[in-house]
Structure formats: C-alpha cells, structure tokens
Amino acid sequence: MKQAKVIAVCNQKGGVGKTTTTINLGIGLANQGKKVLICDMDPQSDTTASLGWKQPDELDSTLANLLISDTSQATTIESAILHHEEGIDLLPANIDLSATELHLVNAMCREAILKNTIADVKDNYDYVLIDCPPALGMLTINSLVAADSVIIPVQAQYLPAKGMTQLLRTIHDVKRNIKPNLSIEGVVLTLVDGRTNLSRQVIGFLRENYGTHIHIFNSQIPMGVKVAESVSQGKSIYAYKAYSPVAIAYESLTKEVLHGRERSKEQER
Ligand code: ADP
Ligand code: MG
C-alpha cells in the first residue's frame, strides 16, 4: 500500500491558476511515475470539464453524492472515479456540489467529510491533489482538513493584499483546531508576464508581509496562449504542447514538489 500525500491547491481568489496548476502538477507527477488522484471540489467543475468531461452536470456519480452519502443512493467511491488518458484518476464535481456545501454546514463531523470520504482509496495513490473552490467556505475547509499540505497559486499581476491574510488565517485556524500537521507546501507564482518585473514585486510583498517562513517555489508559471487550447482539448499542457514555456515550468514545479517530499522523508529518518 502506498502512503498518499494529500495536497490542497487553494486560494479563495478566482482566476489565479488553481485548476490549471492542479491538472498540470497532477499529470506532471503521473509523468514521473506517480499514481495520482485529483479531487474536484469546485462546484464550477472546471477541472472535470478541462480534463475532457465537458458536461459535468450529466455525471451521475460525483463528489457531490459521495459527500452527502445519502443511503438511498448506492454511489461508491470506486464507481465515481474517472480515468483520464494521461494516467491520472479524477473524482469529478458538478453543480450539485454547491447544494452539498449547504448540507455540510449541518452535518456531523462536517469539517472532515472529504477526509473520511477518500480514506478508503487514498492510499492507492502516491499523491491526491484537491482543487479548491474560490471561497473559504465548507468545501475549502473540508479540503484543508483532508490535506497534508497546501499549495497557494498567486497570480503575479496584482499584489495579493488582504485575501492572502484571510487565507493564511484560515489555514492557521484549521491547523490549530483540527489538523495540527497541516503545512504550507509553498506559493507558486502563476500568470507571470515576462515583460514586467511584477513577479519580483509580488515576492517582495509576500516576504515583507508574511515573513520568510512561507516557501516560494523557484518555478514560476508564465502566461501562455496554449493553456486555453489544451483545456479545450481535455489535455494537459504536456500532451498538448510539450516543451512550451508553460509545460517546462509545470514540469519544474513538479520536480520541486517531488524533491520537497524526499527532503521531508529524510528529515523524519
Ligand atoms: P482558478 O482555478 O484559480 O480560477 P484557472 O486555472 O481556471 O484559475 O485559470 C484562470 C484562467 O486563466 C483560465 O481561463 C485559464 O485557462 C487561464 N490560465 C491559467 N494559467 C494560465 C497560464 N499560465 N497562461 C495563460 N492562461 C492561463
Ligand atoms: Mg478553478
């Protein structure tokens, strides 16, 4: 049995590259021989659609059913898992997940429902990546509680300002109250425009406001037109356009994530 590392890709701001990072880090890890499960925790189901299931609302078994665990429905987690041609598995989402979120608010052990839902399958994988919705509600809290660590994509176009403080506070609250060993894997700069030095300003801003203890990945993801094209084909950036700057950047991020894990394993020894 494997021992999965569960990583939530989280930022309550929309359009910062969470979905793109989840998909291309996930398939990047699969390309390095790892077994990967992606959980789509966003009711907008962009991850599910971007991986080629273009009509998520027509799927019968999704995380929405699994999280509610309605005993009248025989949805098993195995029956909900979809297999993508590039070698990763997906627990899909659809719009029903927004109703699920309301249901979760009144459920027992409401913060740990995703964690419990994936418990039986997670150790079939080396990595489980969770794509979070653009909000700090129950779906995100469930994602953080299920996770060992968090990757925070930050778009290198605006200074992250208040949103980052709220996100770090939420992570801190989850750590203090529910999940003491939750850690921040790192911040990844996305949508980097090579013609400006905004990414340097964003890094300076993060350092100044949040200190040096938050890891910032060396790999920065540039802007590239091929991203939208790969999504429309249901493919990763590697399958759509290998060796494009975005593909090279995500491959490099993948290696940083892999090496980070080896480092922490050595520290445990
Ligand atoms: P989020 O999940 O945080 O809302 P997405 O990953 O969906 O963010 O990205 C937001 C939009 O930006 C999408 O249309 C996506 O295709 C596009 N995008 C993401 N990363 C890049 C990139 N590196 N280059 C160009 N477009 C990108
Ligand atoms: Mg998204």
Side-chain angles (χ1 to χ4, degrees):
M1 200 196 270
K2 299 174 187 289
Q3 204 189 6
K5 174 157 191 179
V6 184
I7 304 177
V9 180
C10 193
N11 187 332
Q12 77 275 31
K13 193 162 156 45
V16 299
K18 288 182 290 297
T19 296
T20 308
T21 298
T22 305
I23 291 175
N24 292 294
L25 174 60
I27 294 178
L29 288 164
N31 290 344
Q32 299 292 322
K34 302 298 174 190
K35 219 166 169 298
V36 178
L37 173 69
I38 289 180
C39 299
D40 188 355
M41 278 292 272
D42 185 353
Q44 286 174 37
S45 32
D46 291 338
T47 298
T48 302
S50 302
L51 284 168
W53 286 275
K54 300 258 185 241
Q55 307 288 342
D57 294 344
E58 288 171 13
L59 293 168
D60 289 330
S61 307
T62 66
L63 269 169
N65 321 102
L66 290 172
L67 295 176
I68 289 184
S69 76
D70 178 349
T71 44
S72 67
Q73 288 180 1
T75 305
T76 63
I77 187 157
E78 287 84 2
S79 70
I81 291 176
L82 301 172
H83 307 285
H84 186 264
E85 60 188 44
E86 290 178 60
I88 55 147
D89 286 353
L90 169 70
L91 274 173
N94 65 23
I95 193 66
D96 295 341
L97 201 50
S98 51
T100 304
E101 175 153 41
L102 293 176
H103 178 94
L104 287 182
V105 172
N106 294 312
M108 210 191 294
C109 302
R110 58 188 189 163
E111 289 94 359
I113 293 179
L114 176 63
K115 181 181 161 123
N116 295 336
T117 298
I118 62 173
D120 286 346
V121 296
K122 111 178 166 52
D123 289 329
N124 298 335
Y125 298 92
D126 298 297
Y127 286 89
V128 177
L129 302 187
I130 306 171
D131 186 20
C132 294
L136 292 174
M138 279 315 287
L139 293 172
T140 291
I141 302 291
N142 266 268
S143 304
L144 293 174
V145 171
D148 300 306
S149 69
V150 190
I151 289 180
I152 306 173
V154 167
Q155 76 192 118
Q157 289 171 338
Y158 311 96
L159 296 183
K162 270 197 184 142
M164 191 71 178
T165 303
Q166 290 165 345
L167 174 58
L168 294 176
R169 193 178 299 142
T170 303
I171 293 170
H172 180 77
D173 284 349
V174 169
K175 198 172 149 72
R176 193 182 52 186
N177 296 312
I178 315 178
K179 188 84 196 239
N181 53 357
L182 179 65
S183 68
I184 296 179
E185 192 79 34
V187 168
V188 56
L189 291 198
T190 58
L191 296 154
V192 173
D193 181 346
R195 293 166 303 180
T196 69
N197 64 2
L198 264 173
S199 61
R200 212 171 307 147
Q201 286 178 32
V202 172
I203 290 176
F205 178 90
L206 291 172
R207 289 272 172 258
E208 211 169 288
N209 288 276
Y210 306 108
T212 48
H213 58 282
I214 296 181
H215 179 65
I216 299 175
F217 290 107
N218 289 323
S219 315
Q220 299 185 357
I221 314 300
M223 280 214 270
V225 284
K226 304 294 177 198
V227 172
E229 290 173 24
S230 71
V231 164
S232 70
Q233 304 272 317
K235 290 180 175 165
S236 74
I237 193 70
Y238 316 105
Y240 185 72
K241 190 80 186 175
Y243 312 114
S244 68
V246 176
I248 291 166
Y250 271 118
E251 195 173 68
S252 149
L253 176 69
T254 301
K255 290 184 178 153
E256 281 192 70
V257 170
L258 281 170
H259 292 155
R261 183 168 198 188
E262 274 153 25
R263 251 202 329 272
S264 59
K265 270 188 190 158
E266 266 163 30
Q267 281 163 4
E268 280 167 22
R269 275 188 209 124

